[in-house]
Amino acid sequence: KRLLKSEPNSPQFNADYAILLKDRGEATKSAEYLDDYLNSIKKDNQALHAAALHFISVNLYEFAEKAYLLGQKNDRNSFQYELAD
């Protein structure tokens, strides 16, 4: 949590915290946390792309897809190739 306070928009720290919550048996809280994080960066396509890439690297595919879909709402032409995979 200390690292999140110093870098609140870091996809690595946010994903790691969500994984920690999930490992503690708090899956619902983990999903809500990541949804809140994605909503906080939903207007920034670069942040969404960075988050999606990190989510993929830690097997959080559902949230990577959500990040790409939020980015596509900002710009219809964004993330077409990423979503096609």
Side-chain angles (χ1 to χ4, degrees), residues 2-30:
R2 190 171 5 111
L3 291 172
L4 281 172
K5 288 181 182 181
S6 66
E7 293 187 51
N9 291 330
S10 167
Q12 292 85 4
F13 297 153
N14 282 285
D16 289 347
Y17 182 66
I19 291 168
L20 178 68
L21 289 173
K22 188 176 179 181
D23 288 347
R24 285 188 191 166
E26 301 178 56
T28 303
K29 191 172 180 179
S30 172

Side-chain angles (χ1 to χ4, degrees), residues 20-84:
L20 178 68
L21 289 173
K22 188 176 179 181
D23 288 347
R24 285 188 191 166
E26 301 178 56
T28 303
K29 191 172 180 179
S30 172
E32 289 172 0
Y33 181 81
L34 285 177
D35 284 334
D36 289 344
Y37 169 65
L38 288 175
N39 283 329
S40 75
I41 63 169
K42 68 181 174 186
K43 297 293 181 188
D44 184 352
N45 276 4
Q46 286 182 327
L48 287 168
H49 189 258
L53 288 176
H54 186 69
F55 292 157
I56 289 168
S57 73
V58 294
N59 301 324
L60 293 171
Y61 302 113
E62 174 187 346
F63 292 99
E65 182 179 16
K66 284 182 182 182
Y68 286 138
L69 289 171
L70 284 171
Q72 201 169 48
K73 285 182 182 178
N74 296 335
D75 178 8
R76 188 73 181 135
N77 296 321
S78 294
F79 306 119
Q80 290 175 347
Y81 295 111
E82 289 86 347
L83 286 167

